[in-house]
Amino acid sequence: MPMMSSQRSATPRLLLLGGTTEARQLADALAAAGVDAVYSYAGRTQAPRAQPLPTRVGGFGGVAGLCAWLRAQRITQVVDATHPFAARMSANAVEACAALGIPLVALERPAWVAQAGDDWREVPDVAAAVAALPAAPTCVFLAIGRQTLDAFAQAPQHHYLLRLVDAPLQPLPLPQATLVLDRGPFTVEGDRQLMLAHGSTHVVAKNAGGSGARAKLDAARSLGLPVVLVQRPQLPPRTRVASVAEAMAWLAAHRAALGV
């Protein structure tokens, strides 16, 4: 049974699970509104941007660890504004909040939708993305971050163009790779020139949504390049909003329910 009484009687305090542009925008709005909140992110980026809220870095230790932290910090609401592919963290948040009776909302950016002229091959996961690449050697712009690079070692015949925020601490698992260090948001023309300069013939990306990372898809369309697009993982049912304004309205409604 959800344990609701201790949460309902507590002074409102928010946990913001972040790591996205939308999370940063929401953190600004929360700070401006004087909301008591903690910003948490995974810590995969070596030099993350400073936030206007108190922050914590790293995992929680699964559902049990997250429950213990939520109790200890007397959290009364949670906003999940993590990356759409942070499936484990999002699922853990759903389970922990349900166990403690803490209201949870996901600030989830809409997925990208193909436009006229796009050549997308939509696949369910990274393994399928590897299989969707041609057998003959080619140059692939691999725009998926560094967590899933190992899978593409199964197709070592290709030359991979990688764009990462930080230099990897370990050797790349790909025998043929060019590394570009850069931080978004990116522009269509910038991504177009990047693909032309490196002779990219295919793009692999995750359907993360949002405006900051869409440039590569528009650039690929302008060059007539096929895009292998990994679809989002399935998550447990949860309340969702699509904007910072909607998230703030949700928070205000729940604060009112607490008598604040």
Side-chain angles (χ1 to χ4, degrees):
M1 286 290 291
M3 297 181 291
M4 303 182 70
S5 59
S6 62
Q7 299 299 333
R8 295 300 185 191
S9 62
T11 301
R13 191 163 196 240
L14 176 74
L15 169 63
L16 171 57
L17 299 170
T20 60
T21 299
E22 291 78 12
R24 186 172 70 252
Q25 294 169 346
L26 180 56
D28 289 338
L30 293 169
V35 175
D36 184 8
V38 178
Y39 185 108
S40 177
Y41 57 93
R44 294 192 178 97
T45 302
Q46 295 174 18
R49 293 184 174 96
Q51 300 296 334
L53 299 172
T55 59
R56 68 169 302 281
V57 181
F60 291 92
V63 174
L66 178 56
C67 284
W69 190 90
L70 292 171
R71 287 194 195 98
Q73 296 296 318
R74 301 182 65 80
I75 298 298
T76 58
Q77 294 96 22
V78 175
V79 177
D80 179 2
T82 57
H83 193 277
F85 283 80
R88 180 174 296 179
M89 182 68 256
S90 293
N92 288 352
V94 169
E95 187 174 344
C97 287
L100 297 179
I102 297 176
L104 165 72
V105 71
L107 174 52
E108 185 176 298
R109 58 178 75 155
W112 291 316
V113 177
Q115 301 179 12
D118 282 325
D119 181 6
W120 290 4
R121 293 91 190 269
E122 296 178 300
V123 295
D125 52 37
V126 171
V130 177
L133 292 175
T138 189
C139 184
V140 180
F141 180 18
L142 197 54
I144 59 167
R146 70 176 187 268
Q147 279 74 42
T148 53
L149 293 181
D150 287 350
F152 290 88
Q154 302 301 313
Q157 72 272 26
H158 303 306
H159 187 95
Y160 294 98
L161 169 62
L162 310 177
R163 181 168 63 194
L164 303 176
V165 175
D166 300 309
L169 299 179
Q170 303 295 330
L172 292 171
L174 307 172
Q176 303 181 78
T178 298
L179 177 61
V180 174
L181 298 179
D182 201 359
R183 186 193 294 265
F186 303 105
T187 66
V188 175
E189 182 58 26
D191 278 2
R192 188 174 184 277
Q193 292 302 321
L194 180 68
M195 294 178 197
L196 286 172
H198 292 276
S200 299
T201 60
H202 292 73
V203 177
V204 178
K206 296 177 178 178
N207 196 335
S211 58
R214 189 187 168 90
K216 57 182 173 283
L217 304 181
D218 295 336
R221 181 176 62 250
S222 75
L223 295 170
L225 302 184
V227 176
V228 179
L229 196 63
V230 180
Q231 298 305 291
R232 295 181 178 187
Q234 293 295 316
L235 292 172
R238 54 188 183 162
T239 301
R240 302 180 186 187
V241 295
S243 68
V244 170
E246 291 177 12
M248 292 297 288
W250 176 91
L251 175 61
H254 281 278
R255 286 169 66 88
L258 290 170
V260 178

